[in-house]
Amino acid sequence: RAKSAGGNRFELADPEADARAITRHGLTTALPTALERGEFFIEYQPLVHLGDGSVRGAEALVRWLHPQHGVLGPDRFIPLAEHTGLIVPLGRWVLEESVRQAREWRELHGGAEALGPLRINVNLSPCQLTHPGLVQDTVDILERAGVEPHALCLEVTESALIGADDDLLKPLRRLAEMGVDIALDDFGTGYSNLANLRRLPVSILKLDRSFTQSMQQFPADPVDLKIVEGIVSLAHSLDLAVTVEGVETGAQAEQLRTLGCDTAQGWYYARPGPPERLHELALVDATG
Ligand code: C2E
Ligand code: MG
Ligand code: MG
Ligand code: MG
């Protein structure tokens, strides 16, 4: 880390990078105890139907309430957890907690007939995909909570499935056969291989935020419009639903609705928040 600056003087090559490395090291070693001590919590962000504006479910987004650093977002610690393997128990905890939450919403809503079962979306990292316990853990978690597989959607990034062989796809296929939805997250950012889509046990495309952002300008970039239009029509012809991420304005929502997208998620509707908030939003929505 230190480089010689001539003579006997030593200088830090990059003090900020060093500070980051120290924090990274500190966070990495603190991860296992954080899980034991219950320092992780989940925020839920509603998924809204673009046609009628109703709340159809929520994505579970994990956060870490660190005793010194305060609330840390997943980008700060998920890569570290993936590196050390802690992502497997952490991911299992997120799944268990979110499915339990989905069950609770259902009970709270009781007689709200207009409200179909709220669906829960949970992110899976590539390491969880290759972990042999994935299918059984998921089955157990759903059974214990009394939640049917159709209420669960697992989000996998496109990049995790690039070049995936059959062994990697097998657990996802089994989950899909059980009725769990599989969504391709951040779609359009990687080397999207559209032909490859047919091979994947996926039923939802989550169009990356970068597309939504390009709908911000008015008029939107005509090439981006064409691309989104093309993706939507291909998706629908393959029986896939399209969800859009990062909708921040009503104009974006309207544009994406016109382009045929099915569901949306973003700050325009709600920021990620505590489970009570999702419950309120869904209930208001169902009762008028
Ligand atoms: P993602 O799955 O693509 O989740 C969407 C991200 O976009 C979330 O960031 C969300 O807070 C943010 N977002 C939502 N609406 C808007 C908007 O209108 N504008 C903008 N600018 N951003 C918006 P977050 O919560 O920081 O999560 C980042 C990523 O961390 C997620 O991206 C996901 O890949 C990963 N992640 C989160 N929770 C988990 C988890 O439990 N397990 C795993 N493996 N990964 C997770
Ligand atoms: Mg996601
Ligand atoms: Mg995403
Ligand atoms: Mg994303």
Side-chain angles (χ1 to χ4, degrees):
R1 289 263 105 229
K3 73 173 179 220
S4 171
N8 294 321
R9 277 181 57 233
F10 284 86
E11 262 171 28
L12 290 176
D14 178 353
E16 269 183 32
D18 275 13
R20 278 197 302 273
I22 291 164
T23 318
R24 217 161 34 232
H25 177 74
L27 292 180
T28 306
T29 51
L31 274 169
T33 28
L35 187 58
E36 285 164 25
R37 289 186 190 153
E39 292 173 5
F40 294 101
F41 66 100
I42 301 175
E43 289 192 316
Y44 298 88
Q45 186 176 37
L47 289 153
V48 177
H49 189 255
L50 274 166
D52 62 13
S54 64
V55 174
R56 296 298 173 92
E59 178 173 7
L61 297 158
V62 69
R63 279 88 179 84
W64 179 2
L65 180 55
H66 188 284
Q68 278 96 48
H69 303 296
V71 175
L72 302 177
D75 293 336
R76 292 285 301 280
F77 61 86
I78 291 285
L80 307 178
E82 285 174 339
H83 193 69
T84 58
L86 194 83
I87 191 68
V88 171
L90 176 60
R92 198 187 294 126
W93 177 80
V94 171
L95 184 63
E96 176 129 50
E97 178 58 20
S98 328
V99 165
R100 192 198 57 73
Q101 190 58 62
R103 174 77 216 175
E104 195 177 311
W105 286 326
R106 174 104 26 114
E107 281 162 8
L108 285 168
H109 289 138
E113 279 300 317
L115 197 71
L118 285 176
R119 314 187 69 244
I120 184 78
N121 284 34
V122 178
N123 293 286
L124 272 196
S125 48
C127 323
Q128 290 173 271
L129 275 185
T130 50
H131 183 77
L134 177 68
V135 176
Q136 196 55 50
D137 285 349
T138 308
V139 171
D140 291 346
I141 285 171
L142 288 168
E143 273 180 10
R144 269 203 298 277
V147 168
E148 71 274 26
H150 295 278
L152 174 66
C153 172
L154 296 173
E155 300 191 359
V156 185
T157 58
E158 197 188 4
S159 54
L161 297 184
I162 283 190
D165 58 16
D166 272 343
D167 280 347
L168 191 77
L169 295 178
K170 214 177 272 168
L172 285 183
R173 280 219 179 87
R174 287 194 34 215
L175 290 164
E177 279 159 17
M178 281 164 43
V180 173
D181 270 316
I182 311 292
L184 213 47
D185 205 353
D186 302 340
F187 185 79
T189 49
Y191 307 87
S192 309
N193 180 345
L194 296 175
N196 199 26
L197 275 178
R198 297 175 52 198
R199 223 166 59 78
L200 303 176
V202 158
S203 50
I204 297 164
L205 289 190
K206 286 193 83 171
L207 206 57
D208 190 67
R209 188 161 79 225
S210 50
F211 292 104
T212 312
Q213 272 165 351
S214 73
M215 304 294 143
Q216 185 60 40
Q217 297 96 305
F218 187 82
D221 178 24
V223 176
D224 281 333
L225 285 177
K226 285 278 176 228
I227 293 174
V228 174
E229 219 172 7
I231 292 176
V232 171
S233 95
L234 176 81
H236 286 167
S237 72
L238 294 172
D239 264 339
L240 307 178
V242 179
T243 300
V244 285
E245 309 183 314
V247 176
E248 294 179 2
T249 67
Q252 288 172 332
E254 184 48 28
Q255 181 71 265
L256 291 158
R257 192 188 63 78
T258 310
L259 288 169
C261 299
D262 304 289
T263 314
Q265 182 181 354
W267 298 345
Y268 172 63
Y269 303 100
R271 300 225 173 198
E276 305 78 49
R277 178 91 186 105
L278 197 271
H279 169 61
E280 284 162 20
L281 287 169
L283 207 58
V284 165
D285 185 66
T287 53

